[in-house]
Amino acid sequence: MKRLVAAFLVPLLLASSCGDEATEGAGGPAGRGRWRHARLEGLRGASGTAALEGHLLVAAGPERAVFDVLFEPAEVENGTTLKARRIPLVVDEGSILRGGDAFAAQGYRLGDLWSQPVDFQGIAVQAPDFVFLAERTYRVAYAGRMLQTPEREWRALRIDRAFVLPGAERSRSEASDWRDQGPGVAGLAAVGRFPRTEDLYAIERSAEAAGTLHVHALDRYGLVLGAFRVDLGADGRAGAVGGFLRAERRFLVVRGSDRGLIHPVRPGRWKSTVRAGRGVPGPEVEGAGPWSGMAEGPDGAIVLVSGGETPYVAWRTP
């Protein structure tokens, strides 16, 4: 069991009975099996993250922006500062909003949505260069591809599609107010190294009174594939969802303030309810806000980003 605890990450989170030992050594010297962290310079209000080819892409909701951070977990020193570079966004404003609900049927274009308040609350990527952004205000996903220079460096993100994310509460639609009146989408995840690489998943921001939340499955074009509920059990009131990812054959969900809790969740069938695994405390980093995004690096590292004026990234490699 000691060797299992040292490995942590997905194996430990899935074996949640060992959860209390998961933070042993958190904040200690750099090394495999221990949480490490770095401050992110050049952005604020981080609201989601995704890992792609040695980079972290960080969404910043209040700034309607995406930032690029060069990030190789094995090469970054504990306690250092990483610089974030803002990626220009090129929007095809003539593209029509897609989806199967009444909002999509109105025929709005990306330019109509882009002129409204935009609040990115999740980001997901699919190889080789597809990027998806979950927008909270109108509950849509913006999608596009990274544009590269001749030297294969990223120079911009071209957004040329948008589709409705399921689960919106559009109770004011009769007054032509199509904003989501529900708790809102909290994160977006993509299947990365599995055969069905087209799959996306959206998760709700907050738990309901009964201590449950919803996960929605869809493909990269917005076609709804299913939905299931997650019962958070005794941890149901421990705070809002910050982000999640698809790891191995499970999801990992981070929730709550301060260190927060990381829950393993197995996928459920359509309209089923699954019980979340026991929550494991996240990394303790002085000055970090709530953990607002989660990603998995190519080496299996679990990566978290924090919100607030001074964002941090924390990671742990098995």
Side-chain angles (χ1 to χ4, degrees):
M1 178 63 71
K2 292 294 185 181
R3 295 180 64 182
L4 177 62
V5 169
F8 183 70
L9 297 178
V10 176
L12 179 57
L13 285 166
L14 300 184
S16 56
S17 61
C18 301
D20 289 341
E21 300 178 29
T23 55
E24 187 177 85
R32 301 182 72 83
R34 295 180 181 274
W35 284 112
R36 291 176 282 171
H37 70 273
R39 187 171 70 88
L40 295 178
E41 183 180 79
L43 68 91
R44 61 182 179 85
S47 55
T49 191
L52 181 65
E53 295 184 355
H55 298 253
L56 282 183
L57 294 181
V58 181
E63 298 190 37
R64 102 160 59 189
V66 177
F67 291 84
D68 174 25
V69 181
L70 291 174
F71 183 72
E72 291 286 357
E75 299 176 5
V76 179
E77 294 184 6
N78 187 44
T80 192
T81 298
L82 300 175
K83 293 185 177 181
R85 178 180 65 90
R86 188 169 184 145
I87 299 175
L89 304 181
V90 180
V91 180
D92 181 357
E93 297 190 357
S95 180
I96 297 176
L97 175 67
R98 304 294 182 180
D101 69 355
F103 179 37
Q106 304 306 303
Y108 288 111
R109 298 179 183 273
L110 262 67
D112 301 320
L113 297 174
W114 202 252
S115 66
Q116 301 299 310
V118 174
D119 183 6
F120 295 144
Q121 289 296 318
I123 183 169
V125 297
Q126 293 176 345
D129 53 13
F130 293 98
V131 179
F132 303 85
L133 293 157
E135 200 282 317
R136 183 183 181 189
T137 306
Y138 286 91
R139 200 180 180 96
V140 301
Y142 290 95
R145 303 185 73 167
M146 301 299 298
L147 302 179
Q148 295 182 330
T149 66
E151 294 75 27
R152 300 187 61 79
E153 295 179 351
W154 295 344
R155 62 178 178 86
L157 169 58
R158 177 177 176 81
I159 296 173
D160 55 14
R161 291 190 293 122
F163 51 84
V164 174
L165 291 171
E169 180 186 318
R170 305 195 192 274
S171 56
R172 299 180 184 175
S173 60
E174 291 186 359
S176 297
D177 183 350
W178 293 97
R179 291 175 295 179
D180 183 7
Q181 306 301 323
V185 64
L188 200 63
V191 176
R193 291 175 290 181
F194 299 95
R196 297 178 62 188
T197 56
E198 74 278 8
D199 289 357
L200 294 172
Y201 299 89
I203 195 168
E204 302 293 341
R205 170 167 294 277
S206 301
E208 300 171 351
T212 63
L213 55 87
H214 289 85
V215 175
H216 303 273
L218 57 158
D219 72 8
R220 66 169 62 178
Y221 301 103
L223 177 66
V224 177
L225 302 176
F228 64 93
R229 291 182 297 177
V230 179
D231 179 359
L232 297 163
D235 293 327
R237 301 179 186 275
V241 172
F244 80 134
L245 63 84
R246 180 71 182 267
E248 298 295 333
R249 298 186 180 276
R250 307 286 180 101
F251 296 97
L252 298 181
V253 180
V254 60
R255 305 174 57 246
S257 58
D258 300 323
R259 299 176 68 177
L261 294 172
I262 303 174
H263 298 269
V265 176
R266 61 180 175 84
R269 298 184 302 275
W270 185 290
K271 296 183 179 181
S272 66
T273 299
V274 300
R275 183 70 176 267
R278 180 181 177 185
V280 174
E284 185 173 14
V285 179
E286 184 177 356
W291 300 110
S292 56
M294 183 185 293
E296 182 180 14
D299 58 356
I302 299 298
V303 183
L304 299 169
V305 296
S306 69
E309 292 294 323
T310 307
Y312 286 83
V313 57
W315 68 98
R316 191 165 185 172
T317 304

